[in-house]
Amino acid sequence: MKETRDRMLASRLKSKIDYDDVLGAFLKGHQVTDELTPGFQAVATQMMTFNLIGQQEASTTLLWAIIALSQYPESADKVASEITLACKNDSPTYEECEKLDYCRAFISEVLRLHPPLFMIVRQAISDDEVMGYPISAKAKVGIPLCCLHRHPDYWDKPDDFIPERFLDRPWGQDNEFAYMPFIVGMRNCVARNFIFLAMSLITGILVKNFKFFLPPGFRPERNNSFLVYDRPNLEHILVQARH
């Protein structure tokens, strides 16, 4: 995979074409002109992150979003109405995506209930104690996002799907560290804004044109794995034209 990644990046550089895309922005930002440029490996690493982790997060979130559109038709209708009012054409532009407050809240609630990663791991920088439990320096600490996002100490009706909680609060409640599908702080996910933009575009286009229904008797379940905890078992969906 590393060889393929480096070969693709080298091919882009040799083409001398100024592409207006994510990879082009990375190359410009790191001022990469050839394979010997110091930033070459940094850009190559970001390519791998976007292609593997980013694709998994985006596709997993989209599957859960489609399920939510099927389960909560009132929320789906609100997203559709917002898209119709905000967008001049069939699909939202980059500028119009910035105006889709309810659509973004909808996606935020999907990510709260179904974060793509079930846990993140951090290393303690010094000795500490949390709720009576000693933590030694350099110890690995696991943070279970699936539990944090539904903790009743932070969330009102934690198991209910309520996009409106994100309309007036960026974290859905008052504690920044109780909501972090993309982590927070200096080590947050580089693809955070990309995921929200992609999900706004895709969800907007789908909801404006279609209504979704789950197959009779279908019950969403998680296909747990180490990398993607919350990927659903969705294989088929019933679709009806909205107009």
Side-chain angles (χ1 to χ4, degrees):
M1 292 180 66
K2 181 179 182 298
E3 292 176 358
T4 301
R5 176 199 69 185
D6 292 351
R7 187 167 61 250
M8 291 174 60
L9 185 54
S11 176
R12 167 67 72 91
L13 292 170
K14 290 177 181 178
S15 72
K16 303 299 183 181
I17 299 176
D18 187 17
Y19 288 96
D20 183 21
D21 56 14
V22 174
L23 178 55
F26 277 133
L27 292 172
K28 289 179 182 178
H30 288 271
Q31 299 180 342
V32 177
T33 57
D34 55 49
E35 297 176 62
L36 300 179
T37 304
F40 180 89
Q41 286 302 323
V43 173
T45 300
Q46 294 295 355
M47 280 183 60
M48 188 71 78
T49 299
F50 266 77
N51 287 329
L52 292 180
I53 306 300
Q55 189 275 337
Q56 289 282 5
E57 289 192 359
S59 62
T60 297
T61 301
L62 179 59
L63 288 175
W64 281 115
I66 290 175
I67 290 176
L69 292 171
S70 305
Q71 292 179 316
Y72 308 103
E74 291 185 2
S75 293
D77 290 343
K78 290 180 181 179
V79 174
S81 296
E82 183 179 63
I83 294 290
T84 300
L85 292 174
C87 303
K88 297 179 180 179
N89 300 313
D90 292 337
S91 60
T93 64
Y94 178 83
E95 290 75 15
E96 289 170 340
C97 283
E98 294 295 318
K99 304 176 183 178
L100 302 179
D101 295 332
Y102 190 85
C103 183
R104 188 181 182 90
F106 180 91
I107 296 167
S108 296
E109 184 71 340
V110 171
L111 288 167
R112 180 185 73 84
L113 292 171
H114 307 288
L117 299 179
F118 89 100
M119 178 182 292
I120 60 169
V121 179
R122 291 292 182 262
Q123 180 174 290
I125 59 176
S126 62
D127 292 340
D128 203 349
E129 181 178 306
V130 177
M131 300 179 67
Y133 292 92
I135 299 176
S136 58
K138 297 185 178 180
K140 299 294 191 298
V141 180
I143 304 173
L145 301 183
C146 52
C147 298
L148 182 63
H149 286 183
R150 298 176 184 243
H151 202 295
D153 286 355
Y154 303 106
W155 301 95
D156 181 38
K157 299 180 179 179
D159 293 325
D160 291 355
F161 187 82
I162 310 175
E164 287 76 9
R165 68 172 94 236
F166 285 94
L167 289 177
D168 57 352
R169 288 176 291 187
W171 310 306
Q173 36 72 57
D174 297 327
N175 192 323
E176 177 182 5
F177 295 95
Y179 179 73
M180 45 182 182
F182 302 104
I183 324 303
V184 294
M186 296 180 63
R187 295 287 303 279
N188 66 353
C189 178
V190 67
R192 174 190 176 95
N193 291 334
F194 173 79
I195 294 295
F196 269 113
L197 175 61
M199 288 299 98
S200 296
L201 284 168
I202 297 171
T203 303
I205 294 170
L206 290 176
V207 174
K208 185 176 181 180
N209 294 283
F210 304 104
K211 294 182 180 181
F212 297 92
F213 305 90
L214 296 175
F218 173 79
R219 181 177 180 180
E221 296 179 353
R222 304 179 180 95
N223 291 326
N224 299 346
S225 71
F226 176 75
L227 178 62
V228 182
Y229 161 75
D230 217 5
R231 197 174 184 85
N233 58 334
L234 183 66
E235 296 183 358
H236 305 284
I237 193 76
L238 304 180
V239 181
Q240 177 184 1
R242 185 170 285 274
H243 303 293

